[in-house]
Amino acid sequence: MADSSREKPLGARIDIRRVRGTDMPGIVALDQQVTGQAKPDYWQDIFQRYATRRVDQRFFMVAEAPGSGALLGFIVGEVRGWEFGSEPCGWIFAFSVDPAAREQGIGEQLFQAISAAFRKTGVKTMRTMVPRQNQLHMAFFRSEGMVAGPYIQLEKDLVD
Ligand SMILES: CC(C)(COP(=O)(O)OP(=O)(O)OC[C@H]1O[C@@H](n2cnc3c(N)ncnc32)[C@H](O)[C@@H]1OP(=O)(O)O)[C@@H](O)C(=O)NCCC(=O)NCCS
């Protein structure tokens, strides 16, 4: 008889939990693979700030394969309030799924997990920023129901 669990997308069988210190080498490696830059000091700082303090409003979550415990992806965000005149809302600022495990629903499960965590804090809105030309990010966040918000980002070149 066929094993029906094999037919499910991987995302249907993953575990999502808060990050642990032992995950950090895998996080640094996945981020380097995705962005092309190794940032171990940055990630150690993010771990200290988002996994050890004010964790009722800060969420650093990982997706792992059941059994092997292999790291499949991560998402990081927090509730921030009153900046730019905004009511408190949930912000996602880092998000990656292992390229070998994409398009199987893992990103969606991470997104849903952090959405639920934000909702539990009482906020009614969540936000992120995406590079305008990044069609993958746009496709993903649009598919999760995110639309253009009420703010626009302004910037100025400081290099002479
Ligand atoms: C964006 C990302 C998190 C999506 O993860 P994922 O696990 O592949 O996404 P899912 O399988 O859950 O897809 C959910 C939806 O997103 C959209 N989507 C995902 N990948 C897509 C692709 N390659 N093309 C078009 N739409 C896509 C689809 O609508 C999909 O729903 P569907 O499967 O019903 O069509 C992943 O592609 C990624 O990590 N990209 C790099 C992120 C990055 O650059 N991080 C570093 C800076 S923070």
Side-chain angles (χ1 to χ4, degrees):
M1 201 169 99
D3 174 0
S4 63
S5 69
R6 286 220 186 121
E7 289 156 20
K8 290 183 194 160
L10 185 54
R13 293 178 278 119
I14 60 167
D15 294 325
I16 295 186
R17 58 166 173 78
R18 281 188 184 266
V19 72
R20 301 180 191 128
T22 49
D23 296 316
M24 294 316 293
I27 301 273
V28 171
L30 174 54
D31 176 62
Q32 179 173 8
Q33 184 184 7
V34 171
T35 69
Q37 288 176 291
K39 318 177 196 89
D41 295 345
Y42 167 78
W43 283 110
Q44 200 48 46
D45 183 47
I46 292 294
F47 178 79
Q48 289 304 324
R49 286 160 55 202
Y50 289 87
T52 70
R53 298 204 289 273
R54 290 185 49 215
V55 292
D56 56 326
Q57 301 212 312
R58 293 177 176 175
F59 306 102
F60 189 161
M61 297 170 161
V62 300
E64 69 175 12
S68 74
L71 179 80
L72 298 171
F74 64 86
I75 193 164
V76 197
E78 69 177 323
V79 173
R80 300 184 71 105
W82 313 121
E83 294 147 326
F84 317 114
S86 169
E87 292 276 330
C89 73
W91 275 95
I92 293 172
F93 68 85
F95 192 15
S96 272
V97 169
D98 181 339
R102 289 185 188 170
E103 297 184 40
Q104 299 181 66
I106 296 170
E108 173 155 328
Q109 286 208 43
L110 283 163
F111 182 90
Q112 294 298 339
I114 204 165
S115 304
F118 286 149
R119 207 175 283 118
K120 265 194 198 161
T121 71
V123 299
K124 296 185 174 59
T125 311
M126 59 194 290
R127 295 189 175 127
T128 192
M129 284 207 283
V130 299
R132 224 178 270 272
Q133 74 285 6
N134 191 317
Q135 293 182 358
L136 174 56
H137 290 199
M138 287 295 249
F140 176 81
F141 285 117
R142 297 285 301 258
S143 83
E144 299 303 330
M146 295 192 89
V147 295
Y151 291 85
I152 58 168
Q153 177 215 336
L154 300 179
E155 67 181 36
K156 178 181 174 183
D157 194 348
L158 295 175
V159 180
D160 290 330

